[in-house]
Amino acid sequence: MAAISLTINGQLQRLDVDPRTPLLWVLRDQVGLKGTKFGCGISQCGACTVHIDGKPARSCSYPVQAAADKQITTIEGIGTEEKLHPVQRAWIEEQVPQCGYCQSGQIMTAVALLKDKPAPTDEDIDLAMRGNLCRCGTYQRVRKAIHSAAANSKGDGITQGK
Amino acid sequence: MALHKENNPEGGTLESQPLDRQALPRQPLDRQPLDRRHFMKAMGLTGVGLVLGFSAQAGGRGTSVVNVGQEGTAVLSFELHPFVVIDNAGGITIINHRPDMGQATWQAVPMMVAEELEVSLDQIQIRQSDGLRKYGAQLSGGSSTVRTGWTRLRQAGAAAREMFTQAAADRWKVSKADCYAQEGKIFHKPTGKSFTYGELVEDAARLEVPKDLPLKAKKDFKLLGKALPRPEVPAKVTGRAEFGMDVEVPGMLYASIERSPMIHGKVLSFDDANAKKVPGVKQVLKAERPLPYKTCESVAVLADNYWAATQGRKALKIEWNNANYATDLTTDRYFAQLREAAKVPDAPAYSQAGDVKAALGTAAKKLEAQYETPFLAHAPMEPEVAVAHVKDDGTCEIWAPVQGPDGAIEQVAKYLGIAPEKVKVNVPFLGGAFGRKAYLDFVLEAVYLSKQAKVPVKVIWTREDDIQQGPFRPGMLSAMRGGVDAQGTITAFEHTLIGESIMGQVYGAFPAGKPDPWAGEGISHEESPYAFANAKVGFKRVTTDIPIVWWRSVYPSNSSFGHESFVDELAHAAGKDPLDARLELLKDAPRFQNVLKTLAEKASWYQPLPEGMGKGVAIAKSFGSVCAHAVFVKKDGVGVKIDRVVTVLDCGMYVNPDNVRAQTEGNIAMGISAAIKPAITFAGGKAQQSNFHQYQILRIDEMPKVEIHLVENEEAPGGVGEPGLPPVAPALCNAIFSATGTRIRKLPFDLKKLS
Ligand code: FES
Ligand code: FES
């Protein structure tokens, strides 16, 4: 066990954890942010995607000690139902989720993609999103929602990520 | 909003119907049992001194009452019908009795009730049923929610509405005929005065529940048939929706369980010294995994956090007695047995016509082929997970993503030897299921551990557990024979489906001398009404110890591949266009005809394709709906690329066309995965795939463009969650044959390397 300080969604948290614990389980079970999901544990599915210093990362394979002193953003820090992020709004408009379990990860990756490429092509989307599995098969809608988020938010702050 | 390009009772199609964005619900999702928060909000209560209890006396016949009181104030909540609970502060709750695993029962069930109750979706709260009998069968499976609920749930809404109308008429002392319901109120037409349902509920609850009321015709629907946004979607894009994986109960321990890699092995001994050294590990227990037909052994590590439990599990040393499983539990051996069984044509038949043997004897062209489909894991993105608390008072509470809370009550009660009334089941959202979470081994594992450890226990399966331990979709073989006469008429068709029976293995109830009762779905003459003069469709059982269970669309996910590929082979042998050959053979099946003709038009089937392209068609009826796909592929090196999929689905009347499309998109994705992604294979007694790096599923860059057309008619609703899947693999393989001349008879195959 070790004392570790994490900045999660802008808030500093002090935790006492085994420093090798994957960030995923710390976020979910210690901090109580359950929006980030467990799907495979080996960086193969993307369900656990969060942003670390603005870049998408697989929290299931990211030891918590490596995240100390970095900015961590989870789905809960992206937007709320009262104040949706444009990507979340697009996700609702296109009714992307089926079971919804993979969708936090899909959205985290999409937000990061749009930060990099505000007007992505289908190929850009496929390349950025191919690490996010969806067993329900929502891919066609993920593509559409990313395009519509890009179109809806030309220059209106989608790149802020918050 | 709804854009009907064609809308004729003969079965036109409904063109892309955009989502009704105005109708986005604003109310937050509330999954609290009995809506405590709602009560408190409505009454301005703080929750202090809140009394929540059931009392029988205040309600009318068949209605129960929830009484919430504090210092003289009270909210009375009346169950007018098991599906409709209304309180006198205006809260309207509709029960969803079918767990939502992504198929959108969370909206579909309330929509059916609300249509006749005359309330809009943003006026209601939705609550998941808890398995009690009054809700009827609660298993999400067999694409059955809308099919079985269509009349019953609309009747529920109508009954409650009529009770309110009567109560209002009585209070005003006017004729009931002058009153009507709208948006949660009863209006008196001549005067325009109104009462809300909340104002009427105490009177309404004293009335008899009316039965067999007339229901609205399709043309009068206000909600049904509309692409309304689903109420739980905002919670699912903000990380707030609660899945089974997210349940936390005070004082619970996390468990990770080591089971024999050969599934049925017995624990000879285990050494937990190192496991117990892992900080956070509390207990190591020999444990069990109760399958429906036998119990497997395991060793469980319980810890105060999940990571510690998994680390402790890795540190275990277990010696297994794996009997002969290393040699017996292999897919090679099983498939060899299927091929052997195919040699003897003695299968009991689902349907039979004419004399196949004689027709084959006189056929100008005789075809014979075997098609194989593999074992598959469901691999829902949320692995199996369950929290159980076996309490000191002899009761047990479960929180788990199960497909059926009623089945969970029954199985847990039986397992613990307690009365069903002592089991309470809470069902959060399911992070996918596809049949897997109707198999409750993971729930019973948690029950076992909680009973031993005397605390709530959360069992979390790793992805490796999920992929290696099963149960799986069974691998099957379709033995096909057929004949074409000199005039190019297909005269004989025989399909013998061979493999393990779910009813036989899971329930020990295989009917001797008969075909498996479930495996005829989609291929028996009833559902595949091809007018072959001589035909036989039968089933032959070959057993295996590899655990199996339903997988999305069940047997048709296997059998349609052989069935519809072989129809294609026969069409080519007869020198006919494969779609025309089907139309000819389905001349007495108008819905099939309509689906195929619509598909031909929507997919521009008869238009010549550019060099290097191919097209394939397949059609199947399963779970009450007819679905046909046209798949277009493009040659790409030594393989092909899937260019697009055009689909026509006739599911009769539907609840939400946007969701019907979503489910069909999902079926296409899962159907393609099943065709071209790695299978589950067993060698040396063990599954050779362990996680998504080996058991791959379709990724976004492999998803073709899909275009889905729904048939518009007034037929009874069919299933939606599964019927899109069976025709995917055969349509794809038929397209590959058309592009390359290669006939694929074994799944999975590599799209990039076709020989
Ligand atoms: S859980 Fe981290 S990538 Fe799958
Ligand atoms: S929505 Fe179910 S896994 Fe993606």
Side-chain angles (χ1 to χ4, degrees):
Chain A
M1 292 293 172
I4 289 183
S5 297
L6 297 176
T7 309
I8 305 166
N9 300 330
Q11 286 191 331
L12 188 69
Q13 308 249 2
R14 280 175 231 286
L15 300 158
D16 188 32
V17 290
D18 176 342
R20 292 162 308 165
T21 309
L23 177 61
L24 170 68
W25 299 108
V26 175
L27 289 172
R28 286 182 53 83
D29 296 339
Q30 244 114 323
V31 184
L33 293 172
K34 304 264 192 217
T36 306
K37 302 299 189 212
F38 164 63
C40 69
I42 59 162
S43 295
Q44 286 289 315
C45 78
C48 65
T49 306
V50 298
H51 295 174
I52 297 180
D53 286 344
K55 296 256 174 305
R58 304 291 190 237
S59 64
C60 70
S61 308
Y62 205 102
V64 63
Q65 65 186 352
D69 308 320
K70 300 204 167 103
Q71 295 286 334
I72 302 159
T73 310
T74 69
I75 186 72
E76 291 89 349
I78 289 293
T80 61
E81 282 171 57
E82 292 69 40
K83 199 165 178 291
L84 292 164
H85 185 281
V87 170
Q88 291 169 317
R89 198 171 309 125
W91 243 247
I92 296 172
E93 279 172 10
E94 300 300 339
Q95 296 278 289
V96 177
Q98 289 185 29
C99 82
Y101 193 80
C102 72
Q103 299 295 341
S104 298
Q106 304 277 0
I107 290 168
M108 295 309 286
T109 307
V111 167
L113 163 67
L114 287 167
K115 221 187 281 186
D116 261 14
K117 290 203 164 87
T121 61
D122 271 351
E123 290 68 40
D124 294 333
I125 293 173
D126 283 0
L127 196 68
M129 303 298 298
R130 72 181 305 279
N132 285 84
L133 300 180
C134 175
R135 188 57 157 162
C136 296
T138 61
Y139 298 131
Q140 176 153 299
R141 290 173 190 236
V142 167
R143 253 186 230 141
K144 252 175 113 179
I146 292 175
H147 284 308
S148 83
N152 288 344
S153 57
K154 279 200 185 95
D156 81 345
I158 193 169
T159 57
Q160 297 311 304
K162 269 201 93 180
Chain B
M1 179 206 63
L3 178 72
H4 293 254
K5 275 196 185 157
E6 293 168 52
N7 189 355
N8 66 70
E10 302 305 316
T13 62
L14 173 71
E15 282 304 310
S16 159
Q17 191 186 40
L19 191 73
D20 185 351
R21 283 160 222 268
Q22 303 318 313
L24 289 171
R26 301 286 169 214
Q27 123 258 10
L29 187 70
D30 193 339
R31 294 185 62 94
Q32 290 302 307
L34 291 177
D35 259 344
R36 283 175 87 118
R37 276 186 274 162
H38 181 81
F39 287 133
M40 291 188 277
K41 209 169 62 194
M43 297 306 290
L45 302 178
T46 59
V48 182
L50 196 71
V51 182
L52 228 146
F54 284 87
S55 82
Q57 87 285 358
R61 291 138 284 279
T63 63
S64 53
V65 180
V66 181
N67 189 350
V68 183
Q70 184 197 349
E71 292 162 20
T73 57
V75 175
L76 292 171
S77 189
F78 296 84
E79 186 188 271
L80 290 187
H81 183 283
F83 289 91
V84 183
V85 179
I86 293 175
D87 65 57
N88 59 3
I92 300 172
T93 301
I94 296 183
I95 311 301
N96 168 36
H97 64 317
R98 298 295 176 96
D100 196 317
M101 47 192 177
Q103 86 282 39
T105 47
W106 190 253
Q107 180 190 48
V109 170
M111 260 171 92
M112 288 186 275
V113 177
E115 178 68 60
E116 289 287 345
L117 183 59
E118 296 293 350
V119 293
S120 63
L121 290 186
D122 55 8
Q123 284 181 293
I124 61 166
Q125 301 280 322
I126 304 166
R127 181 150 55 85
Q128 176 63 49
S129 73
D130 53 10
L132 294 185
R133 278 211 196 102
K134 62 184 174 183
Y135 304 111
Q138 290 153 68
L139 179 74
S140 285
S143 297
S144 64
T145 301
V146 174
R147 288 197 285 161
T148 59
W150 186 249
T151 302
R152 185 165 166 246
L153 295 169
R154 289 186 303 146
Q155 281 290 345
R161 181 203 64 223
E162 281 304 292
M163 291 157 84
F164 287 124
T165 315
Q166 186 66 58
D170 291 350
R171 227 189 268 175
W172 288 318
K173 301 199 171 37
V174 300
S175 155
K176 193 171 149 226
D178 283 338
C179 304
Y180 67 96
Q182 197 181 327
E183 296 276 314
K185 287 182 185 166
I186 303 295
F187 290 87
H188 182 233
K189 210 183 284 163
T191 61
K193 58 189 173 185
S194 67
F195 282 124
T196 65
Y197 287 178
E199 290 167 321
L200 293 168
V201 70
E202 288 179 59
D203 291 353
R206 293 195 181 87
L207 300 171
E208 201 78 51
V209 180
K211 289 214 173 75
D212 301 324
L213 294 162
L215 298 172
K216 280 183 206 172
K218 181 180 170 183
K219 64 175 177 26
D220 300 320
F221 289 161
K222 292 179 188 154
L223 303 173
L224 296 175
K226 308 266 186 307
L228 299 173
R230 286 158 44 213
E232 80 287 12
V233 166
K236 285 182 176 176
V237 303
T238 50
R240 208 170 62 76
E242 187 183 57
F243 293 88
M245 189 60 79
D246 306 330
V247 172
E248 247 178 55
V249 171
M252 75 183 191
L253 292 179
Y254 293 84
S256 190
I257 304 177
E258 183 71 13
R259 308 167 192 83
S260 167
M262 301 196 200
I263 298 177
H264 307 291
K266 303 249 179 264
V267 177
L268 280 178
S269 65
F270 67 94
D271 171 357
D272 59 8
N274 288 336
K276 283 183 165 157
K277 283 186 202 141
V278 174
V281 168
K282 299 287 177 206
Q283 287 188 54
V284 178
L285 293 169
K286 184 168 175 235
E288 59 184 46
R289 174 192 180 201
L291 306 183
Y293 57 101
K294 67 156 86 163
T295 296
C296 302
E297 297 186 354
S298 59
V299 179
V301 177
L302 279 62
D304 61 11
N305 71 85
Y306 177 63
W307 175 248
T310 61
Q311 295 312 102
R313 175 180 170 188
K314 278 189 195 140
L316 287 171
K317 287 192 207 95
I318 308 174
E319 242 194 285
W320 298 99
N321 174 359
N322 282 313
N324 295 328
Y325 292 119
T327 50
D328 290 0
L329 209 66
T330 79
T331 36
D332 277 353
R333 182 169 177 265
Y334 172 74
F335 278 104
Q337 288 171 334
L338 302 193
R339 282 172 219 132
E340 206 47 47
K343 289 181 184 157
V344 194
D346 60 349
Y350 293 108
S351 53
Q352 224 162 347
D355 183 343
V356 171
K357 206 170 158 206
L360 285 174
T362 58
K365 285 183 190 163
K366 202 178 131 183
L367 278 72
E368 213 164 309
Q370 293 185 358
Y371 286 82
E372 287 182 19
T373 47
F375 288 83
L376 293 174
H378 305 71
M381 289 309 299
E382 174 195 53
E384 294 68 32
V385 58
V387 181
H389 189 192
V390 180
K391 301 177 186 173
D392 291 344
D393 62 2
T395 64
C396 176
E397 188 159 2
I398 307 287
W399 297 260
V402 295
Q403 285 177 237
D406 46 348
I409 288 183
E410 194 185 302
Q411 288 190 35
V412 170
K414 194 166 157 218
Y415 182 63
L416 287 173
I418 59 176
E421 299 73 51
K422 299 208 157 161
V423 181
K424 179 162 167 40
V425 174
N426 308 278
V427 186
F429 285 122
L430 282 64
F434 314 110
R436 175 62 183 89
K437 292 170 186 169
Y439 196 91
L440 302 179
D441 54 340
F442 61 102
V443 175
L444 298 181
E445 284 183 330
V447 170
Y448 178 88
L449 291 174
S450 173
K451 190 173 173 183
Q452 302 298 312
K454 301 193 181 1
V455 290
V457 174
K458 181 174 188 174
V459 168
I460 303 177
W461 284 42
T462 62
R463 178 59 59 193
E464 289 79 5
D465 297 336
D466 168 63
I467 287 177
Q468 303 200 288
Q469 290 287 326
F472 305 98
R473 178 188 81 166
M476 301 295 290
L477 183 147
S478 288
M480 314 297 305
R481 294 198 297 168
V484 179
D485 72 10
Q487 288 74 48
T489 303
I490 302 169
T491 51
F493 181 90
E494 185 180 79
H495 183 170
T496 311
L497 184 63
I498 305 170
E500 178 60 300
S501 155
I502 295 170
M503 185 161 276
Q505 188 199 72
V506 178
Y507 297 96
F510 187 77
K514 293 211 179 101
D516 177 273
W518 289 334
E521 177 94 37
I523 55 172
S524 72
H525 186 70
E526 201 189 319
E527 274 150 340
S528 177
Y530 287 121
F532 301 115
N534 305 284
K536 181 182 167 192
V537 177
F539 177 91
K540 222 172 163 176
R541 183 179 182 195
V542 171
T543 61
T544 177
D545 270 330
I546 298 172
I548 59 163
V549 80
W550 319 278
W551 186 95
R552 194 174 194 170
S553 82
V554 200
Y555 283 106
S557 79
N558 304 87
S559 60
S560 286
F561 172 55
H563 204 78
E564 280 295 289
S565 296
F566 196 63
V567 169
D568 216 69
E569 291 202 45
L570 289 167
H572 285 289
K576 287 178 180 152
D577 173 276
L579 195 147
D580 287 343
R582 286 176 171 83
L583 276 176
E584 226 174 87
L585 288 162
L586 292 165
K587 58 185 183 310
D588 301 324
R591 288 179 78 179
F592 285 73
Q593 283 265 332
N594 177 55
V595 165
L596 282 174
K597 284 182 183 159
T598 310
L599 184 66
E601 181 206 321
K602 298 293 175 192
S604 307
W605 178 262
Y606 298 109
Q607 230 162 62
L609 292 173
E611 185 55 31
M613 288 218 34
K615 63 189 175 192
V617 64
I619 185 166
K621 180 180 179 192
S622 59
F623 308 97
S625 296
V626 182
C627 181
H629 299 300
V631 174
F632 293 84
V633 300
K634 216 189 283 166
K635 271 204 212 170
D636 180 34
V638 288
V640 300
K641 268 205 169 111
I642 307 175
D643 192 52
R644 70 185 174 123
V645 179
V646 183
T647 300
V648 176
L649 175 70
D650 176 358
C651 60
M653 286 186 282
Y654 45 75
V655 169
N656 177 342
D658 185 60
N659 188 56
V660 176
R661 286 202 176 79
Q663 286 301 299
T664 307
E665 289 162 25
N667 274 312
I668 292 168
M670 203 152 171
I672 297 175
S673 277
I676 66 170
K677 293 292 173 181
I680 295 293
T681 52
F682 270 73
K686 301 177 195 173
Q688 292 175 293
Q689 297 70 32
S690 70
N691 203 322
F692 287 127
H693 61 302
Q694 291 157 331
Y695 187 70
Q696 304 217 1
I697 62 170
L698 204 73
R699 292 174 185 271
I700 194 170
D701 55 337
E702 301 166 305
M703 179 77 191
K705 292 225 155 32
V706 307
E707 189 187 312
I708 295 155
H709 303 270
L710 308 183
V711 172
E712 195 65 19
N713 59 32
E714 298 198 9
E715 300 284 346
V720 163
E722 298 169 284
L725 197 147
V728 172
L732 170 61
C733 294
N734 293 341
I736 289 170
F737 179 77
S738 125
T740 67
T742 300
R743 177 59 69 184
I744 291 162
R745 297 199 182 89
K746 186 174 176 180
L747 303 182
F749 63 95
D750 189 343
L751 208 53
K752 295 201 187 86
K753 277 187 231 133
L754 297 164
S755 48

